[in-house]
Structures are given as structure tokens and as C-alpha cells.
Amino acid sequence: MCLPADQHLLCNYTDLYTGEPWYCYKPKRLSCDTRINHAKGGYLKHLLTNNEALLFQSGVNIKVQIHALGKDRINVLPPEDNAEKEGSSVKTESIQLTPSGYYFKDSWRPLGGTVMRHFNESAAITQCLRNKVINMYGDSTVRQWFEYLITSVPGEQPVISISVVFLLSHVTCCFHLFPEIKEINLHSPKNVGPFMAVDTTHNILLKYRCHGPPIRFSTVIASELRYISNELNGLSGGPNTVVVLSIWAHFSTFPVEVYIRRLRHIRLALLRLLDRAPGTLVVIRSANLQALDQEVSLYNSDWYSLQLDTVLKAMFRGLNVLMVDAWEMSSAHHLPHALHPPQAIVKNMIDMLLSYVCPEKKRSQK
């Protein structure tokens, strides 16, 4: 995003619409128009001395529970009425530390807001997304949602006898959430996209596209690097349009100013979209905790990701958008942290998303 121009000639790939900067050193014998691919350059490794490496040991001083030196229990008592205490000058200030939800038997229970439904049958999911266009933009954590929707199994697995398994092993490898949804082969690079899936019977269109640089995927065709705000500007929107955003992981190695600038552009594009099509449903997936080994800890930090998550929630506060709190849904679960959370957590995230798309109908009071 910033290269010293006094050392080499630069190719300026700054986006003309958003002003998002991106530069490359110009090749000696090629013009700047010959760019084909965008690839991750990797990280400089082995930068730690032996003594420094001792400070980055998984299970020793990374991701280790801090035990209490004294009592490990806190008794919360009801607030006292200071007015009854004559001459008391103590003033209490209310500090709201309200979690967004909790787990009960591996099922997420949100506190307040939309009532979460559980979509354990493919028919319920199909009915919810009938006549919908779902546009997913962002990093691999929302691509994981796309993959889950077209390949995973809701609820309990069907029981199949061993003799039948051998007969079916060459026919199919898995059951699908949407029996009739078909992924279109766009000849896109694996794990990069763009991807598309269609259910023509129920008129469902599911799409995923990665966000513009910085992006740490292996190789992305340069022409496929699209900024989310530009993609939002191209949407007609409407009551049958769902927009899902997840943008955080690839900004964890950049100053927070870079992240703020990107979110500002996305926020302005969302305002324009909601102005011309107020019925558009926008759902934002927040950051989540991840596994941090010795190497990853050099360039990633849950503490810093939490700062990005705080910026994300502040940036979109007050807009007509909904949030899937992946941070609390990953931190509250008993499974180990992972950049791409386990399926049990993703299933709850998808249920939350679908609950936004198809909220529970209020029962009429007699």
C-alpha cells in the first residue's frame, strides 16, 4: 500500500472509484498493464533468537489460562441503595458488559434481538432462501459459509447399513443442505473464487467473491480483484437480495488506519445501496479468535483482531445492518480456536444468518 518511490519505478494500481491505494515495483522490461496475477509473497521467517523463541511457545505462554493467585470465585450482589446511607459520598456507575449470547447443548442462544431459529432440515433452508440472491463478499471465513451451505449436513446423519455403504461409495460422497443446488464451474482457483451455486427449482442464487487487496490468497487473477464497495455499487438490491460481508483477517498485518479507510468506503456504499433499495438485507460477520502457534503469533494477534472487531462494530452502528457476532460465538464455545471455526460453530452462525433472512413469525394473541 506504500512503497518508496525513490528506489524503483512504481506501478500505481490505485482504485479509481474508491481511491484505495495499491502499488507494485515496475518490471524492467514490461509495462504496468501486463499484470496478470496477484500472489502472496510469504513472510520472513527465522527472525527470532533462541531466547526470543522461548516467549512464543504454544501451551507455555501462548493461549494459556491465567490462574488466580487468590480466590477464583466472584460473588455478584445486588446494588445497594446509597440513598439509605446517610452521609455517603460513594456514587455507583453502571458498567454494561453484556454478552451477545451463550451456548446451551452446543446451540447458540442470543440475548436480545432476533430470535434464533434452528434449520436442521434441508426443506426449511430451501424454503427460507426461495427466490433469494445471496451475495457473499470478503475473506475465507465467509467463503467457509458458502462451502458449508452447499456441502454440509444439517442435524443428524442418516443411518446407513455397512452393506449399503459399499454399494453407494462410488455414487456419492456426501449429503447436501440443498439437494437441488448445483455449483457452477467457473474454473476459479480453489479457495479463491469467485464461486456460484444455483437452485433453479426454487430460484436460489448463491455467490461468493473475495475482497480486494490486501488479500493473502495464494494466487488471484488481477482482473478478479474487486473492492467490496464497488461490488455493492453494482447491486440493484431489493427484498430478495441478501448481502453478507466478512472483512478482517487479511487486515491483521496492517495498521488500523488501513482497516478504517476500507470500512468507510464499504459503509458509504451500503448507505447508497440501502437508500435505493431499503428492503436489502445486509448481514456482517465479525472477526473470530484463531489458533496461534509460534510462527503465526509473529504476525497475528487475537488482541489486535479484537481491536479491528471493535472498529467494525462502531463503523456500522446505527445502520440498518445485522451482525453475526462470530467473536463471541467462537470464544464461548468449548472447541479449540481456529481461523476457520469447526462445523459445530459454523452451523450456529448459519442458523443465525438464516434467522435474519427468515425471522420467526410472531404468534397473534387471541
Side-chain angles (χ1 to χ4, degrees):
M1 291 189 170
C2 180
L3 290 176
D6 57 343
Q7 297 183 11
H8 301 280
L9 293 177
L10 299 181
C11 289
N12 185 353
Y13 297 118
T14 298
D15 184 67
L16 298 178
Y17 297 97
T18 63
E20 287 285 354
W22 194 258
Y23 301 93
C24 292
Y25 287 125
K26 183 184 180 302
K28 294 181 179 180
R29 296 182 179 86
L30 297 174
S31 71
C32 294
D33 295 332
T34 57
R35 183 176 66 152
I36 298 175
N37 291 332
H38 173 100
K40 178 179 67 174
Y43 301 94
L44 294 176
K45 302 178 182 179
H46 308 297
L47 298 179
L48 297 179
T49 66
N50 292 334
N51 290 332
E52 290 171 338
L54 297 176
L55 302 175
F56 296 90
Q57 298 183 76
S58 180
V60 178
N61 43 30
I62 296 176
K63 295 282 188 179
V64 179
Q65 183 179 359
I66 301 176
H67 298 282
L69 293 177
K71 295 182 178 180
D72 59 357
R73 294 175 60 87
I74 299 176
N75 296 323
V76 180
L77 303 176
E80 297 180 354
D81 188 355
N82 290 328
E84 297 179 358
K85 295 183 178 181
E86 295 183 0
S88 175
S89 60
V90 179
K91 295 182 179 180
T92 60
E93 296 181 0
S94 60
I95 301 177
Q96 295 183 352
L97 298 174
T98 306
S100 63
Y102 63 95
Y103 282 103
F104 179 72
K105 295 183 177 179
D106 260 3
S107 176
W108 180 252
R109 306 293 178 88
L111 296 173
T114 301
V115 177
M116 181 167 162
R117 300 172 57 191
H118 298 285
F119 295 80
N120 297 322
E121 298 178 359
S122 60
I125 302 172
T126 300
Q127 183 60 34
C128 175
L129 296 182
R130 181 188 293 270
N131 296 322
K132 293 288 191 296
V133 178
I134 302 93
N135 304 276
M136 296 182 172
Y137 302 108
D139 52 42
S140 59
T141 60
V142 76
R143 188 194 70 219
Q144 186 183 21
W145 287 13
F146 177 93
E147 295 167 346
Y148 178 91
L149 281 171
I150 66 172
T151 62
S152 298
V153 187
E156 297 181 356
Q157 302 283 347
V159 178
I160 305 176
S161 64
I162 296 178
S163 59
V164 177
V165 168
F166 287 114
L167 292 174
L168 296 180
S169 61
H170 67 287
V171 177
T172 181
C173 65
C174 54
F175 296 86
H176 295 270
L177 284 177
F178 302 149
E180 299 182 50
I181 198 165
K182 306 295 182 183
E183 184 174 359
I184 306 299
N185 185 3
L186 301 178
H187 303 285
S188 301
K190 183 181 180 182
N191 299 333
V192 175
F195 302 119
M196 178 186 298
V198 179
D199 180 347
T200 56
T201 303
H202 302 97
N203 196 31
I204 300 171
L205 177 60
L206 183 65
K207 299 188 291 183
Y208 164 79
R209 179 178 289 279
C210 68
H211 63 70
I215 194 81
R216 293 196 301 263
F217 290 155
S218 54
T219 301
V220 185
I221 299 175
S223 61
E224 293 290 358
L225 289 175
R226 315 279 182 83
Y227 289 95
I228 292 177
S229 54
N230 291 341
E231 293 296 302
L232 295 176
N233 288 334
L235 291 181
S236 300
N240 293 321
T241 300
V242 179
V243 174
V244 183
L245 306 178
S246 178
I247 179 167
W248 65 276
H250 297 259
F251 289 81
S252 60
T253 54
F254 290 85
V256 70
E257 292 82 3
V258 174
Y259 189 60
I260 292 174
R261 180 177 60 210
R262 183 63 54 87
L263 294 186
R264 286 181 61 193
H265 293 145
I266 294 174
R267 188 181 192 277
L268 290 172
L270 283 178
L271 285 172
R272 291 190 289 267
L273 173 62
L274 294 173
D275 280 343
R276 66 178 178 269
T280 307
L281 178 66
V282 180
V283 180
I284 299 177
R285 182 202 189 280
S286 74
N288 59 263
L289 294 95
Q290 55 186 302
L292 298 172
D293 56 25
Q294 184 185 75
E295 180 179 328
V296 176
S297 297
L298 294 177
Y299 54 83
N300 262 319
S301 161
D302 281 344
W303 180 89
Y304 188 60
S305 295
L306 181 58
Q307 313 310 307
L308 299 184
D309 199 48
T310 302
V311 170
L312 175 79
K313 293 175 180 177
M315 185 66 72
F316 294 103
R317 186 177 296 122
L319 268 65
N320 187 22
V321 301
L322 299 168
M323 185 78 64
V324 173
D325 197 339
W327 186 270
E328 293 209 7
M329 294 180 78
S330 59
S331 64
H333 203 277
H334 61 83
L335 289 175
H337 299 157
L339 175 60
H340 302 103
Q343 183 166 312
I345 300 177
V346 175
K347 198 271 181 188
N348 281 282
M349 293 178 179
I350 295 296
D351 281 350
M352 195 73 253
L353 168 66
L354 296 175
S355 297
Y356 289 146
V357 178
C358 303
E360 187 178 67
K361 295 181 180 179
K362 296 182 179 179
R363 298 178 180 178
S364 58
Q365 295 180 352
K366 296 182 178 180

